[in-house]
Amino acid sequence: MALLLHHPLLFHTTKTPSITLLQTPKSLLFKNLRDRTVKCAAVATPEVSGDKEDVLVDEERGRVNPVGYDWTEEWYPLYLVKDVPDDAPLGLTVFDKQVVLYRDGNGELQCYEDRCPHRLAKLSEGQIVDGRLECLYHGWQFEGDEGKCVKIPQLPAGAKIPRSACTKTYEIKDSQGVVWIWMSHKTPPNPSKIPWFENFDRPGFKDISTIHELPYDHSILLENLMDPAHVPISHDRTDWSAKREDAQPLLFKVTERTERGFAGWWGREADKTPKNFLRFEAPCNLQNNREIVDKDGVTNYFSGLFLCRPTGQGKSMLIVRFGSTKRSPLAKFFPEWYFHQNAGKVFEQDMGFLSSQNEILMKEKVPTKDLYLNLRSSDTWVAEYRKWMDKVGHGMPYHFGHSTISMPVEPAVVEHAPAGFVASIAASSPAKGGIGIQYAPNLANRYFRHVVHCKDCRNVVRAFETWKKRLSVVAGLSLTLAILFNARQWKTLFLLAAAVSGGGAYICSTAVALNTTNFIRTHRRL
């Protein structure tokens, strides 16, 4: 995903920049090499100068030292504020907890447990009536930050609504354009734990933010996001910033390890000095920053921010935010939806092997040190992350650590999506899905991974679909008139109109496909 951080259309850099460090590195903490022998049958072992294990990430011997951690006592990135629907409730999950987010009659965001206290129906399947959230099963209505039930149609006249009819609520906050949710009902919300990203508050800082639902665990997603080594290979020629011939050793310097994460510098070995600063912070926030001083002495700030939310076993949701104080002049010539669909392509290029990685972890049921072969020159952040999971995994519903593991207590609930004609009608609401069976609910489908969550892209798809239909009608009428008219000048005019309208309809169809069709590698058999 570092590909997007260096996207040439998003960020403008100078040819010979000087780098201002965000903080002074303390030390490069690599020690106590693990004495490990790898045996591979019928495989020739390459000769390596010196200790053949010196390319592996060092292992720390001894017991894991867990720290106090409770996954509920954290703020999780729930959604982009700008993409929360105005006219429908939104069902979301954090690990296995289901919540519903909606805007009330005053435009305020409210968040409840996603089940009606009456008969446990999902409130996210309901509707907004007079600014209240109504359960679509029996019409019970709820409002306010206390989840108070204010209407039960079936109650006799004069009967009071039981106090127990209220629904459980969750504390949410809007910070820097993101809705954050506090998951604990035992511990009061801790405002100081809400992440604050300095670059996004700088004067002149502009960002492009997208949201994506993905079919693999949030820990695998984070691994992938903190792995710059895969970019030249996995995303070769996605744009001109990624080329497989640029794959090379990387430098990593860990400068900070705390109970809440780690931080450090990384860069290409050929550059001698790492220029990118990475920080991972609990529970699932990752940022990649860079500062560049231009020829006039002005410091420009660049950030790639990844806010990951665990949405259940084998599922996650990611808010991606790329921004800078100085953008490439070319960026203004590209619509924002172009960058959104390009991000979708990047995720699809990784999806196959990340999903298979998720499957193997669940099947093998052993820590990653028994499965991974982490190299110093590419996998340092991955090893750091899994070792951090060793410290805090005991406080999570399940985890895959470097040397520890805890499997889910209960197996994942498989949600069966409707198909065919029923799906096409059920998915007809813009807040719920798309139009047509090609958008049947499926996390392998780009529409349901991104477009359904993005107001801008949803509107773009709808607009292109409308124009495609209009232009197709004009093309058909023009062609008909060209056949009916005998006069050469009129025939030529109508044929030209048919060609232009048909071409416009094709362009609209192509734009819709860019936003809704998955990327398929050309070497894959279909």
Side-chain angles (χ1 to χ4, degrees):
M1 298 312 154
L3 165 73
L4 297 175
L5 180 60
H6 300 296
H7 198 297
L9 295 182
L10 288 179
F11 311 122
H12 176 73
T13 60
T14 57
K15 292 183 178 179
T16 56
S18 60
I19 306 300
T20 301
L21 300 185
L22 298 177
Q23 71 179 70
T24 304
K26 296 177 182 178
S27 61
L28 179 59
L29 300 178
F30 288 132
K31 53 186 178 181
N32 298 330
L33 287 175
R34 180 188 180 194
D35 183 15
R36 174 176 175 177
T37 301
V38 181
K39 297 180 179 180
C40 301
V43 176
T45 304
E47 294 184 4
V48 181
S49 59
D51 186 345
K52 68 177 180 180
E53 299 293 323
D54 65 0
V55 297
L56 301 178
V57 172
D58 302 332
E59 292 254 348
E60 294 182 2
R61 298 181 183 277
R63 297 178 58 187
V64 174
N65 296 318
V67 298
Y69 189 80
D70 183 340
W71 75 271
T72 65
E73 297 178 5
E74 298 284 359
W75 293 93
Y76 289 83
L78 202 55
Y79 223 65
L80 285 170
V81 175
K82 68 181 180 67
D83 287 326
V84 177
D86 297 320
D87 57 354
L90 181 64
L92 302 167
T93 59
V94 181
F95 278 112
D96 60 344
K97 302 297 182 183
Q98 297 180 332
V99 302
V100 57
L101 182 68
Y102 78 99
R103 290 189 187 275
D104 62 20
N106 298 318
E108 298 293 327
L109 292 173
Q110 306 292 349
C111 189
Y112 305 152
E113 183 179 28
D114 194 11
R115 69 181 188 184
C116 180
H118 178 214
R119 295 265 287 280
L120 310 183
K122 279 191 174 184
L123 292 174
S124 59
E125 294 295 328
Q127 58 189 345
I128 308 299
V129 178
D130 299 327
R132 299 167 177 170
L133 178 56
E134 180 182 88
C135 177
L136 208 53
Y137 198 179
H138 294 92
W140 290 29
Q141 293 182 0
F142 305 88
E143 70 175 6
D145 56 9
E146 296 180 354
K148 184 178 179 181
C149 182
V150 294
K151 182 178 180 179
I152 299 180
Q154 296 79 18
L155 277 182
K160 292 185 178 180
I161 296 176
R163 291 185 178 181
S164 57
C166 65
T167 185
K168 185 183 294 184
T169 64
Y170 285 88
E171 185 77 15
I172 55 174
K173 297 290 184 183
D174 172 1
S175 177
Q176 295 183 296
V178 176
V179 183
W180 298 84
I181 182 172
W182 179 262
M183 294 306 299
S184 177
H185 285 107
K186 297 179 181 178
T187 306
N190 183 350
S192 66
K193 278 191 171 183
I194 297 179
W196 182 259
F197 306 102
E198 185 178 2
N199 281 353
F200 285 78
D201 202 46
R202 295 185 185 278
F205 194 89
K206 295 182 179 180
D207 71 279
I208 291 178
S209 298
T210 64
I211 189 166
H212 304 265
E213 202 164 2
L214 299 164
Y216 39 84
D217 190 73
H218 79 287
S219 66
I220 291 177
L221 171 60
L222 280 164
E223 259 192 18
N224 177 244
L225 295 171
M226 60 179 67
D227 174 23
H230 84 284
V231 172
I233 305 298
S234 301
H235 309 302
D236 179 34
R237 266 66 181 187
T238 299
D239 59 39
W240 54 87
S241 66
K243 300 177 181 178
R244 64 180 297 106
E245 57 266 28
D246 289 339
Q248 60 187 282
L250 301 174
L251 288 175
F252 298 90
K253 292 184 179 180
V254 182
T255 60
E256 181 181 335
R257 290 189 182 99
T258 71
E259 295 180 356
R260 297 192 57 76
F262 58 90
W265 295 88
W266 70 272
R268 301 184 305 175
E269 187 178 69
D271 293 335
K272 305 301 181 183
T273 303
K275 300 177 180 180
N276 305 284
F277 185 76
L278 177 141
R279 178 179 294 281
F280 167 75
E281 185 175 5
C284 44
N285 307 317
L286 179 71
Q287 55 181 315
N288 209 341
N289 297 328
R290 189 168 180 175
E291 296 180 9
I292 298 178
V293 181
D294 64 21
K295 60 183 179 180
D296 298 321
V298 177
T299 302
N300 294 300
Y301 301 89
F302 304 83
S303 280
L305 179 60
F306 307 97
L307 306 177
C308 308
R309 173 163 51 85
T311 59
Q313 298 173 44
K315 296 185 292 184
S316 56
M317 181 168 275
L318 171 67
I319 295 175
V320 185
R321 309 192 74 182
F322 290 101
S324 65
T325 53
K326 188 175 184 179
R327 300 182 69 189
S328 167
L330 291 176
K332 66 178 70 175
F333 297 106
F334 290 82
E336 189 162 319
W337 63 262
Y338 169 81
F339 297 110
H340 287 210
Q341 66 84 27
N342 193 64
K345 181 192 299 184
V346 171
F347 287 117
E348 286 148 15
Q349 289 171 336
D350 290 342
M351 193 175 300
F353 50 78
L354 294 183
S355 296
S356 66
Q357 182 183 355
N358 197 130
E359 182 180 348
I360 292 172
L361 283 175
M362 293 295 293
K363 181 180 179 180
E364 295 289 344
K365 298 182 177 62
V366 295
T368 59
K369 73 179 179 65
D370 296 327
L371 297 172
Y372 291 5
L373 190 66
N374 288 326
L375 303 180
R376 288 185 185 180
S377 54
S378 62
D379 308 308
T380 295
W381 298 143
V382 173
E384 288 291 326
Y385 173 61
R386 292 299 179 181
K387 289 177 182 178
W388 177 80
M389 292 284 277
D390 288 338
K391 297 180 182 179
V392 304
H394 63 90
M396 295 182 174
Y398 59 90
H399 83 285
F400 299 96
H402 180 70
S403 56
T404 62
I405 186 173
S406 61
M407 298 299 292
V409 176
E410 298 180 359
V413 176
V414 178
E415 298 179 357
H416 296 281
F421 180 72
V422 175
S424 68
I425 295 187
S428 62
S429 169
K432 296 290 184 181
I435 300 174
I437 57 175
Q438 75 177 108
Y439 304 136
N442 185 345
L443 290 189
N445 182 296
R446 186 184 295 188
Y447 190 94
F448 266 83
R449 286 201 325 275
H450 169 67
V451 179
V452 73
H453 297 291
C454 178
K455 281 185 179 180
D456 292 338
C457 288
R458 230 169 28 241
N459 291 336
V460 164
V461 170
R462 188 182 299 114
F464 277 124
E465 287 278 14
T466 300
W467 277 105
K468 182 182 72 173
K469 293 175 182 178
R470 291 175 178 174
L471 290 169
S472 296
V473 170
V474 172
L477 289 174
S478 299
L479 187 59
T480 301
L481 291 172
I483 294 173
L484 294 176
F485 277 79
N486 292 322
R488 179 176 297 178
Q489 63 271 27
W490 286 108
K491 188 179 291 289
T492 302
L493 179 62
F494 286 125
L495 285 175
L496 180 61
V500 172
S501 300
Y506 175 78
I507 292 173
C508 291
S509 179
T510 301
V512 171
L514 277 174
N515 283 279
T516 59
T517 304
N518 282 18
F519 167 83
I520 301 294
R521 295 189 188 274
T522 55
H523 70 273
R524 303 299 297 172
R525 292 182 179 179
L526 301 179

